């Protein structure tokens, strides 16, 4: 990588085991904590992608024929490298994304856990054999699919690439990663560390860029499968384009998670969970609490939530949002809700951090008496903001949750097992929390929402990913026992 005056060297594409820059147009990478420039990254074109696909195709025969037990050895070593370098990796995520150091460290820990799961794949991908009639046996083996691609969003620069890289590669595929153009630096360390762990050149390739590269990925005939994580608007574009080009695709989209709070909910636990869920990573999580639905008399819980929210100090235990544009968008939603009659209980607008005046901060925000018709109740705001809609009973609360076009997560806070069960059954979301504000399933369970939060069958992580990254080969064998051949003669 070439040295520049920025904090980090220029970001380059990683193709066939080499970092390279082909004189593409460059984008500045801005640190959202203070507005300084961290580095630059290339806006690659379809020729760069084509080169990466060719490198992946060249690596594929040897890699796909390497036994899986040998393939995962790379990930055992890689996991150790991440553990040894976790402080440096977390610092990088903190600087390019703006989340706190603690959150960035938790993100890298999650990447480690995802890699650990990939190390267990040899125990999970065994095929099946059955004698289907006398002397005739059928077997199924799970084979890799070829060259595949993974397109990532800005909010988890290290973890989201680990939703795909370890599993797809351990299962024998060669992968092209397209990181978010807003946070591309972490991916460089992923490539460097995987190479150090022994991953052969060409098995992982990284092509940086924006919309044009995503379009080129969806249309490239050499790419067999596309996984996407990002907004619903782009997830739909990617799903339609890649399936029209006859590829398999799973595309995870945005979210508007509803947290149903019942009057019998545990006061302290509920208040701190809802506030942590809405404010963690400055609300820029697809699992964040966006909409609290208060059922009946819950004023005591809201008062406690306001107390909890006031403990969050931007620049200390609350990170920045990603950009000036994001800050402006979030604050506009808050102002419009206020103008439409909602009550701002905790107001995070116009927040600055001393010494980091160039950063993009929004303080924790709690808005009560929001009505379902307001834009803030319908759209994904993606900031440290929770809106509260009041309902008279659980049916009304569930009906509100069910009307949302999204369906990533939903949660219920109650001491009643019976009422929790009703929400588990009737909420229209792929991931449900009971007294948990961020119900992320941990490996080996898979991650993925419903409705407009995910397009495509199956989930992206855990056991479900095995089906996505492999294709079944069925062999029928007749052993002709009646021939009674004496092979020894
Ligand atoms: P985004 O959709 O703007 O970008 C995601 C990727 O798509 C990036 O790599 C980007 O370069 C590319 N892209 C952007 N516009 C494009 C276009 N018009 N055509 C083709 N490609 C395009 O998302 P983001 O802002 O980076 O990330 C935040 C969003 O991601 C939120 O909506 C969040 O809920 C969602 N997200 C969802 C999950 C999930 O699991 N469902 C996880 C993380 C983030």
């Amino acid at each position: 990588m070439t040295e520049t005056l920025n904090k980090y060297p220029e970001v380059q594409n990683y193709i066939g085991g080499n970092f390279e820059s082909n004189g593409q147009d460059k984008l500045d990478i801005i640190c959202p904590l203070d507005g300084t420039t961290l580095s630059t990254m290339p806006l690659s074109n379809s020729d760069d992608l084509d080169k990466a696909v060719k490198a992946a195709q060249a690596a594929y025969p040897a890699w796909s024929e390497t036994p899986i037990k040998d393939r995962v050895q790379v990930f055992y070593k890689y996991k150790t490298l991440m553990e040894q370098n976790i402080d440096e990796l977390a610092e990088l995520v903190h600087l390019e994304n703006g989340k706190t150091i603690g959150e960035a460290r938790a993100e890298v820990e999650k990447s480690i856990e995802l890699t650990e799961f990939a190390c267990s794949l040899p125990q999970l991908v065994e095929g099946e054999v059955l004698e289907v009639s006398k002397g005739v046996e059928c077997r199924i083996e799970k084979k890799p699919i070829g060259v595949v691609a993974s397109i990532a969003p800005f909010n988890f620069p290290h973890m989201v690439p680990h939703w795909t890289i370890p599993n797809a590669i351990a299962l024998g595929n060669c992968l092209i990663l397209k990181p978010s153009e807003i946070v591309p630096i972490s991916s460089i360390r992923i490539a460097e560390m995987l190479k150090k762990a022994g991953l052969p050149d060409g098995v992982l390739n990284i092509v940086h860029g924006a919309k044009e590269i995503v379009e080129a990925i969806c249309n490239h005939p050499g790419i067999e499968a596309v996984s996407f994580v990002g907004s619903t608007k782009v997830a739909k574009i990617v799903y339609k384009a890649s399936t029209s080009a006859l590829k398999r695709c799973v595309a995870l989209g945005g979210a508007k998670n509803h947290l149903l709070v019942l009057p019998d909910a545990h006061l302290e636990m509920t208040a701190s969970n809802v506030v942590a869920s809405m404010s963690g990573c400055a609300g820029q999580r697809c699992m964040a609490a966006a909409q609290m639905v208060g059922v009946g008399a819950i004023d005591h819980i809201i008062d406690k939530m306001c107390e909890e929210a006031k403990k969050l100090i931007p620049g200390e235990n609350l990170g920045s949002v990603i950009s000036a544009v994001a800050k402006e968008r979030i604050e506009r939603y808050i102002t419009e809700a206020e103008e439409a009659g909602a009550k701002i209980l905790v107001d995070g607008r116009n927040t600055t951090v001393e010494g980091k005046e160039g950063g993009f901060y929004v303080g924790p925000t709690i808005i009560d008496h929001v009505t379902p018709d307001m834009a803030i109740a319908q759209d994904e705001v993606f900031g440290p903001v929770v809106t509260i809609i009041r309902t008279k009973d659980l049916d009304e609360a569930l009906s509100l949750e069910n009307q949302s076009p999204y369906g990533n997560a939903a949660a219920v806070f109650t001491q009643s097992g019976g009422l929790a069960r009703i929400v588990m059954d009737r909420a229209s979301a792929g991931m449900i929390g009971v007294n948990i504000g961020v119900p992320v399933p941990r490996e080996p369970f898979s991650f993925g929402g419903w409705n407009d939060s995910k397009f495509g069958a199956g989930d992206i992580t855990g056991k479900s990913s095995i089906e996505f990254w492999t294709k079944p080969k069925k062999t029928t064998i007749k052993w002709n026992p009646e021939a009674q051949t004496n092979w020894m003669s």
Side-chain angles (χ1 to χ4, degrees):
M1 294 202 282
T2 321
E3 289 295 331
T4 71
L5 293 177
N6 297 322
K7 184 169 172 64
Y8 286 96
E10 176 193 332
V11 170
Q12 296 183 313
N13 289 338
Y14 180 67
I15 298 180
N18 300 308
F19 287 100
E20 58 173 56
S21 177
N22 293 327
Q24 305 97 327
D25 289 340
K26 304 277 189 281
L27 265 188
D28 284 342
I29 304 160
I30 306 298
C31 173
L33 297 164
D34 57 12
T36 56
T37 303
L38 291 173
S39 183
T40 58
M41 64 137 259
L43 284 168
S44 311
N45 56 36
S46 55
D47 290 342
D48 300 307
L49 177 70
D50 198 46
K51 198 170 170 197
V53 172
K54 288 198 170 83
Q57 284 170 331
Y60 180 69
W63 183 246
S64 58
E65 285 165 21
T66 302
I68 186 166
K69 275 176 166 289
D70 295 340
R71 292 196 297 250
V72 300
Q73 295 311 313
V74 171
F75 289 100
Y76 279 108
K77 294 191 191 100
Y78 176 61
K79 173 181 173 292
T80 304
L81 285 173
M82 280 194 280
E83 285 162 348
Q84 288 167 345
N85 294 283
I86 189 164
D87 291 339
E88 177 227 324
L89 297 174
E91 166 84 3
L92 183 44
V93 169
H94 167 64
L95 289 177
E96 69 174 339
N97 171 274
K99 61 183 70 177
T100 66
I101 277 282
E103 289 165 345
R105 200 181 163 89
E107 174 172 345
V108 180
E109 281 166 358
K110 188 66 197 164
S111 303
I112 292 170
E113 191 176 326
L114 288 155
T115 304
E116 235 168 62
F117 175 74
C119 293
S120 75
L121 282 170
Q123 279 69 50
L124 296 172
V125 289
E126 82 278 13
E128 294 164 34
V129 185
L130 181 70
E131 188 183 42
V132 290
S133 63
K134 193 69 193 155
V136 179
E137 155 187 318
C138 277
R139 55 192 290 156
I140 294 189
E141 293 161 278
K142 289 173 180 154
K143 298 288 189 187
I145 42 184
V147 176
V148 299
S150 170
I151 303 162
F154 80 79
N155 62 332
F156 285 93
H158 201 267
M159 180 192 76
V160 168
H162 287 83
W163 280 358
T164 52
I165 293 173
N167 292 352
I169 290 181
L171 289 164
N173 302 288
C174 293
L175 185 136
I176 292 162
L177 174 69
K178 205 299 276 177
S180 163
E181 65 274 34
I182 306 171
V183 293
I185 311 176
S186 289
S187 67
I188 296 302
R189 294 296 288 131
I190 296 171
E192 287 173 345
M193 289 169 69
L194 272 168
K195 185 166 176 131
K196 194 167 176 192
L199 190 72
D201 292 346
V203 176
L204 170 70
N205 303 277
I206 302 176
V207 182
H208 294 282
K211 184 173 181 266
E212 293 68 26
I213 288 300
V214 173
E215 287 165 356
I217 286 173
C218 296
N219 291 316
H220 199 293
I223 295 176
E224 306 293 335
V226 176
S227 97
F228 171 88
V229 182
S231 61
T232 291
K233 180 180 143 232
V234 183
K236 285 182 181 171
I237 295 171
V238 168
Y239 189 77
K240 283 183 190 161
S242 51
T243 54
S244 300
L246 307 179
K247 303 178 197 310
R248 64 175 74 171
C249 179
V250 63
L252 275 62
K256 186 82 185 170
N257 304 316
H258 287 56
L259 270 55
L260 279 52
V261 176
L262 276 50
D264 72 335
H266 185 281
L267 175 62
E268 283 80 15
M269 187 269 287
T270 303
S272 65
N273 250 264
V274 176
V275 170
S277 176
M278 72 92 161
S279 63
C281 300
Q284 300 172 122
R285 285 191 290 194
C286 64
M287 294 297 279
Q291 192 121 283
M292 171 170 149
V293 186
V295 181
I298 52 140
D299 285 345
H300 60 300
I301 298 174
I302 295 174
D303 290 346
K304 188 77 187 159
M305 280 168 52
C306 293
E307 251 182 58
E308 288 293 320
K310 286 173 187 159
K311 294 180 192 163
L312 294 168
I313 314 296
E316 288 180 25
N317 55 1
L318 179 64
S320 66
V321 297
I322 193 67
S323 63
V325 172
K327 176 177 161 73
E328 194 274 325
R329 185 196 66 240
I330 297 161
E331 295 190 344
R332 183 160 27 90
Y333 273 113
I334 301 170
T335 301
E336 283 173 8
E338 187 176 40
E339 287 167 0
K343 193 169 171 208
I344 317 285
L345 301 181
V346 181
D347 190 350
R349 286 172 293 183
N350 306 314
T351 298
T352 49
V353 172
E354 207 183 314
K356 292 184 175 176
E357 285 75 10
F360 317 121
Y361 294 90
V362 179
T365 302
I366 299 179
I367 312 178
D368 199 359
H369 299 293
V370 167
T371 52
D373 55 313
M374 293 179 189
I376 201 166
Q378 294 173 6
D379 301 347
E380 183 179 36
V381 176
F382 226 50
V385 178
V386 68
T387 54
I388 304 170
I389 299 187
R390 308 286 194 124
T391 62
K392 60 179 184 320
D393 58 29
L394 188 55
D395 272 345
E396 193 187 344
L398 276 164
S399 146
L400 266 179
E401 192 281 337
N402 287 180
Q403 281 163 32
S404 169
Y406 297 102
N408 216 38
V412 59
F413 288 84
T414 179
Q415 307 273 40
S416 157
L419 295 176
R421 183 73 237 182
I422 291 173
V423 175
M424 287 162 64
D425 287 340
R426 287 177 46 197
S428 181
M431 294 172 280
I432 308 292
V434 175
N435 297 321
I436 291 185
V438 185
V440 175
R442 295 182 64 170
E443 280 54 46
F445 299 97
S446 58
F447 186 99
W450 285 5
N451 311 328
D452 279 3
S453 293
K454 195 195 71 188
F455 305 97
D459 283 337
I460 198 166
T461 65
K463 284 188 192 171
S464 187
S465 70
I466 297 172
E467 303 311 317
F468 188 74
W469 296 122
T470 60
K471 55 189 177 192
K473 178 174 267 184
K474 288 75 61 181
T475 307
T476 307
I477 311 161
K478 190 172 181 186
W479 295 113
N480 292 327
E482 67 282 4
Q484 293 183 354
T485 309
N486 182 356
W487 297 104
M488 301 301 285
S489 63

